[in-house]
Every structure is written in structure tokens, then in C-alpha cells.
């Protein structure tokens, strides 16, 4: 399927690993010039090299996306013309809410709410002027069904969703969309940490914790990152301009609700 994204420029934050990398890969396959970002410069270059080997045009900006200088460098790398922004950032460590002090709470909100909002502020007027823009924020399935230990992550991402849901309605007239992707349990490095947390909490082995988590998913498996990347690329497609302000949950049916 031609997504109509040839020669578009996409910034994909936190994209050296996991779901961010999957989104970058799918957008590169759709014909975008992709600007990758990550804290680990070596891993970032490995990802860039793999995409270039497949014929993609790739640029990299190493560093924490919460750093104002890194944000500026990302936009400069795009030549000031950002067509697609994929907001992504690592979530805070899994911790009991009682163990969170003020500094930890502020850091979590800054990383998972303030930083993506600041990036949207920096790119959205240009998108409006060019009458094309796609913004996708990777949040979490915990936005719809909170998960113990991820309270800070859930709270910050719910705040981001509420903030940008209103913005989405203000810019839809200019063919600029803002949507949210809510991953359930995908086979990534982050999931290994979830299994370890649950194993310690419940007094079982990591393998037992993983098996129990898998069994609770109606699909009876964890998601593959490329499935998530393909969904991201779809929301960025030229033909997806009538989809905005939406939260797409991708969790193999784990969430039991209808809304």
C-alpha cells in the first residue's frame, strides 16, 4: 500500500531500539527521510546503518530528547521542515508509588508530558503553513488500564493525551493530525523489565512471570515491534487526514472494555 509519504521528513524520538525503531523502520520503508534519536550513540548508529543498508535516507541526532539543544538539533537536521513527528521517550523505572519523591515525579512528568508538548510547539506552525502534518505520540496501554508500578508513567501520559487532544481539534482544519498509539505488551527490552518487576513482586521466576503475562493476552503472544511500526506509518499516511485526536490501543485484546 502506497502511504503517500515519499520524500516526507520524519523525526522519530528515542528510535535506536524497540518501538521507536520499529516506527522509524516503517516510515523509512514508506519513503520518508528519517531522523533518528537516542541517548546511546553507538546503538543509534547501528540502527541508522541497518536502515541505510535497506536504501533509506537517515540522519541521526544523539542525546536526550528532553534536552532543548537536542530538540533544536533534530529540527535543524530536518532543515526546519518537519512533516512527521513521532513523540517517544523512555518511561520511568517501575516503582511502587510510595517510593516516588518529588524529584522523581517531576522527572517523569517532564520526560513523558512536557518534552513531547515542547516538540509539538516547535513543529506545528510549519505543518499548518504547509497544510500537512502528522504527529503520533507513543504512550502506553496503561493510559486506559493503569498498571501497578507504572503509576508515574500512566499519569504523565494521560496528561499528555488530554493536553494534545484539545490541540488536535485546533489544527485539524490544516490537514495536521495528532494521534496516540497505546502499546500493550510488546517483545522489547522494556518488557523484560516488566517481567523482572512482576517476578520480584510475586515471588516467582522471570520465566513464570513472562508466561503468566502472555497467558492473560487473548492473542496468547506478545506483540512484534514491526506490527506497531506499521500502525504508526498508517496514522502518518496521506489518506489518514480524517483520523485525529484518537488513541489506538494495540494489545492483542488484553484490555477488556469496549471504549
Amino acid at each position: 500500500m502506497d502511504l503517500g509519504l515519499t520524500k516526507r521528513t520524519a523525526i522519530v524520538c528515542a528510535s535506536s531500539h524497540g518501538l521507536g525503531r520499529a516506527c522509524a523502520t516503517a516510515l523509512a520503508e514508506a519513503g520518508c527521510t528519517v531522523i533518528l534519536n537516542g541517548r546511546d550513540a553507538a546503538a543509534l548508529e547501528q540502527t541508522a546503518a541497518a536502515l541505510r543498508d535497506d536504501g533509506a535516507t537517515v540522519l541521526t541526532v544523539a542525546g536526550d530528547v528532553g534536552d532543548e539543544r537536542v530538540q533544536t538539533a533534530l529540527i535543524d537536521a530536518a532543515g526546519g521542515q518537519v512533516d512527521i513527528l513521532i513523540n517517544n521517550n523512555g518511561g520511568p523505572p517501575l516503582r511502587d508509588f510510595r517510593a516516588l519523591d518529588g524529584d522523581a515525579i517531576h522527572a517523569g512528568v517532564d520526560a513523558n508530558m512536557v518534552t513531547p508538548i515542547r516538540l509539538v510547539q516547535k513543529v506545528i506552525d510549519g505543518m499548518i503553513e504547509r497544510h500537512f502534518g502528522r504527529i503520533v505520540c507513543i504512550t502506553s496501554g496503561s493510559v486506559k488500564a493503569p498498571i501497578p508500578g507504572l503509576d508515574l508513567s500512566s499519569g504523565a501520559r494521560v496528561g499528555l493525551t488530554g493536553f494534545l487532544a484539545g490541540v488536535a481539534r485546533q489544527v485539524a482544519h490544516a490537514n495536521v493530525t495528532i494521534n496516540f498509539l497505546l502499546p500493550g505488551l510488546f517483545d522489547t527490552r522494556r518488557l523484560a523489565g516488566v517481567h523482572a518487576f512482576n517476578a520480584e513482586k510475586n515471588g516467582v521466576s522471570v520465566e513464570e512471570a513472562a508466561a503468566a503475562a502472555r497467558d492473560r493476552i487473548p492473542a496468547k503472544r506478545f506483540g512484534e515491534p514491526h506490527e506497531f511500526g506499521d500502525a504508526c506509518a498508517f496514522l502518518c499516511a496521506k489518506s489518514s487526514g480524517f483520523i485525529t485526536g484518537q488513541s489506538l490501543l494495540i494489545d492483542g485484546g488484553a484490555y477488556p472494555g469496549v471504549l
Side-chain angles (χ1 to χ4, degrees):
M1 179 179 177
D2 182 3
L3 300 180
L5 296 178
T6 302
K7 297 184 179 180
R8 295 291 187 184
T9 300
I11 291 175
V12 187
C13 302
S15 48
S16 56
H17 294 285
L19 300 182
R21 175 172 177 163
C23 292
T25 300
L27 289 170
E29 290 173 350
C32 291
T33 294
V34 178
I35 302 167
L36 303 178
N37 158 256
R39 296 183 183 92
D40 185 336
L44 189 64
E45 290 304 325
Q46 289 176 356
T47 297
L51 294 182
R52 290 180 184 125
D53 286 345
D54 289 334
T57 301
V58 182
L59 302 171
T60 62
V61 176
D64 184 345
V65 72
D67 187 327
E68 188 83 18
R69 293 167 298 181
V70 173
Q71 296 174 16
T72 299
L74 284 167
I75 295 168
D76 288 347
Q81 181 169 321
V82 180
D83 300 306
I84 297 167
L85 170 65
I86 310 302
N87 266 322
N88 185 34
N89 207 351
L94 282 86
R95 297 172 67 183
D96 185 276
F97 75 93
R98 299 172 185 83
L100 297 170
D101 60 18
D103 288 343
I105 293 171
H106 283 289
V109 171
D110 189 60
N112 295 130
M113 181 178 174
V114 177
T115 291
I117 289 172
R118 291 291 294 139
L119 281 165
V120 170
Q121 289 175 322
K122 292 175 185 294
V123 304
I124 202 161
D125 285 338
M127 292 177 171
I128 292 169
E129 290 171 6
R130 294 186 298 275
H131 209 72
F132 181 91
R134 299 287 183 264
I135 297 172
V136 176
C137 298
I138 300 175
T139 60
S140 170
S142 67
V143 167
K144 288 183 71 71
I147 299 170
L150 288 178
D151 310 282
L152 178 54
S153 174
S154 302
R157 297 181 196 278
V158 168
L160 174 68
T161 303
F163 188 104
L164 291 181
V167 176
R169 274 74 182 182
Q170 297 175 51
V171 300
H173 70 279
N175 190 31
V176 177
T177 67
I178 303 175
N179 290 293
F180 309 88
L181 281 178
L182 285 59
L185 298 183
F186 278 78
D187 192 10
T188 64
R189 294 187 310 168
R190 175 75 166 173
L191 182 58
V194 172
H195 294 330
F197 177 86
N198 288 330
E200 181 177 356
K201 177 183 176 182
N202 297 312
V204 299
S205 70
V206 172
E207 292 74 18
E208 288 172 317
R214 188 184 301 109
D215 192 55
R216 288 192 294 270
I217 302 171
K220 300 303 179 185
R221 66 179 179 86
F222 299 126
E224 295 293 335
H226 72 84
E227 296 174 293
F228 191 87
D230 289 345
C232 180
F234 166 73
L235 288 177
C236 295
K238 179 180 179 180
S239 59
S240 295
F242 209 53
I243 304 172
T244 195
Q246 302 304 304
S247 292
L248 176 59
L249 179 65
I250 310 177
D251 70 348
Y255 176 67
V258 295
L259 296 175

